[in-house]
Amino acid sequence: MVKGKAWVLAKTFEGEPTEANFRLINEEIPAPKQGEFVTEAVCLTVDPYMRTGMAGSAVGKVLMGEQVSRVTESKNSEYPVGALVQCYSGWRSRSLVNPKENPEALRLRKVPNLGGKDSSIALGVIGMTGVTAYLGFLEVCQPKAGDTVLVSGAAGAVGSVVGQIAKIKGCRVIGSAGSKQKCDWLKSLGFDYVFNYKDVKLDDALKAAAPKGIDCFYDNVGGEKAYRVLEHMNNYGRMCVGGAISTYNTGKEPLVPSPFRNILQKRLKVQGFVIFDWDSKFQESRTQLLRWVNEGKLKYRETVHNGFDNMPKAFVSLFSGANTGKMIVKV
């Protein structure tokens, strides 16, 4: 039996999360039985969606999340000692994994050959966030060459990939972000127009960036600004709702101004996108993303916190916009 550490919910969230919401505990990890194996975390992800996913968690429960980990003990020939895997085993430094126990929640996958790249990209640009960008944009927005595409939260892990895929597909791409440094990075990725939403009025920025209107809108932010974008959509525009970070800490968002008149009059396609509905296309999507990474067509950036003890700090910082690209904790 080995010992591990885990982060549990110390008290329920009220508004924005703080480090006081989390408590570190020690766990004893039993020896694996036939078909099981033990892993040690290599790197873990923190993502905004976890805020809503954790909202209903009981105090004392281990927090949800995905990690890349290395098999250290095994009684499963498919997962030998030394193998790298990724799964939703939570905020744990060590885990006992039974592939047959609740496989839908575990979402166990082997980390593919990354050609020497850091295993953290299995959680980012070719992981859940990259595939969310790939499938959400291509399947929901169905872009055509020449389309004008707007990406909110464009310097985040999902938005930065969406914008680059849009360029690969021959679109004109507009991105919004919250700092000059983030905007500069988006320009270096090939975005055609970027603006700092903190410095300009949204309507003014979109009139300048898209005088002929917007065909595709990939929204990661939600809130009133997302509603305002609908005024600038072209007829038969398509909108993928991939996230709503501006509303995660405020409870139910108000429907003011109402978006429904624009949706009706412009016959807009507005669809929510949750990556867990698309498991059947996950592998082919990450294969294409890795190909683009290797070809230099798709670039990525990570904001890294070192040390398992810094999981809460990394998570809390997401909501102040501290990350550029994917937020990762390396153990």
Side-chain angles (χ1 to χ4, degrees):
M1 186 174 291
V2 296
K3 292 187 180 293
K5 296 189 288 186
W7 283 101
V8 301
L9 189 66
K11 63 177 183 178
T12 55
F13 297 112
E14 295 181 5
E16 289 198 11
T18 70
E19 294 186 45
N21 288 114
F22 308 92
R23 177 166 56 88
L24 187 64
I25 65 169
N26 293 314
E27 291 186 316
E28 290 189 346
I29 312 299
K33 299 176 182 178
Q34 190 60 40
E36 298 178 335
F37 55 92
V38 174
T39 64
E40 184 171 358
V42 174
C43 54
L44 303 94
T45 177
V46 290
D47 300 286
Y49 81 90
M50 293 176 176
R51 169 63 178 81
T52 54
M54 294 172 183
S57 294
V59 170
K61 184 177 180 180
V62 174
L63 295 159
M64 64 183 295
E66 188 181 18
Q67 63 175 255
V68 166
S69 52
R70 192 179 305 279
V71 177
T72 56
E73 295 181 63
S74 181
K75 287 193 175 180
N76 186 318
S77 59
E78 292 187 34
Y79 300 93
V81 172
L84 280 178
V85 300
Q86 58 189 107
C87 62
Y88 286 78
S89 48
W91 289 19
R92 287 186 163 96
S93 65
R94 289 186 173 87
S95 306
L96 176 67
V97 180
N98 183 337
K100 294 183 178 180
E101 185 178 336
N102 201 0
E104 184 175 341
L106 189 63
R107 299 183 185 275
L108 174 67
R109 294 182 173 91
K110 294 180 180 179
V111 175
N113 184 347
L114 301 176
K117 294 180 175 63
D118 197 295
S119 60
S120 59
I121 72 168
L123 300 173
V125 68
I126 68 159
M128 183 189 71
T129 47
V131 175
T132 294
Y134 181 89
L135 290 173
F137 182 59
L138 297 182
E139 297 284 347
V140 177
C141 291
Q142 298 180 350
K144 302 182 296 292
D147 277 351
T148 294
V149 176
L150 171 67
V151 185
S152 66
V158 174
S160 59
V161 176
V162 170
Q164 292 179 84
I165 293 174
K167 291 301 296 181
I168 291 171
K169 296 298 181 180
C171 301
R172 181 173 179 272
V173 185
I174 303 163
S176 68
S179 72
K180 181 181 183 302
Q181 292 77 12
K182 292 181 178 182
C183 288
D184 288 344
W185 182 53
L186 295 176
K187 291 176 184 177
S188 77
L189 297 180
F191 279 62
D192 296 284
Y193 190 101
V194 298
F195 63 92
N196 184 341
Y197 66 87
K198 295 178 181 179
D199 291 343
V200 297
K201 290 184 178 180
L202 180 65
D203 287 323
D204 292 342
L206 294 183
K207 286 176 184 178
K212 296 183 179 180
I214 295 163
D215 302 297
C216 302
F217 175 30
Y218 197 110
D219 182 35
N220 295 296
V221 177
E224 183 177 347
K225 286 185 172 61
Y227 300 145
R228 296 300 308 163
V229 171
L230 298 182
E231 294 283 351
H232 300 266
M233 297 290 291
N234 288 326
N235 291 350
Y236 308 105
R238 289 85 69 199
M239 175 181 176
C240 179
V241 181
I245 190 172
S246 70
T247 68
Y248 290 162
N249 297 316
T250 58
K252 188 174 181 180
E253 60 181 299
L255 293 175
V256 179
S258 171
F260 300 112
R261 182 178 177 183
N262 280 305
I263 292 170
L264 174 64
Q265 291 182 340
K266 299 187 178 186
R267 285 81 81 197
L268 303 181
K269 176 184 176 182
V270 180
Q271 180 175 330
F273 183 89
V274 177
I275 185 59
F276 302 130
D277 297 336
W278 296 81
D279 268 1
S280 63
K281 293 193 175 185
F282 192 96
Q283 191 56 49
E284 65 182 81
S285 302
R286 75 170 355 181
T287 298
Q288 179 60 68
L289 289 163
L290 182 57
R291 185 178 298 121
W292 282 335
V293 169
N294 289 333
E295 292 172 350
K297 295 179 179 179
L298 184 60
K299 298 178 175 61
Y300 60 92
R301 185 173 289 184
E302 295 177 342
T303 301
V304 176
H305 287 254
N306 291 302
F308 183 75
D309 290 358
N310 284 319
M311 287 291 294
K313 180 180 180 181
F315 178 70
V316 169
S317 71
L318 285 170
F319 298 96
S320 62
N323 64 301
T324 299
K326 180 68 173 175
M327 181 76 82
I328 292 289
V329 176
K330 293 186 176 181
V331 179

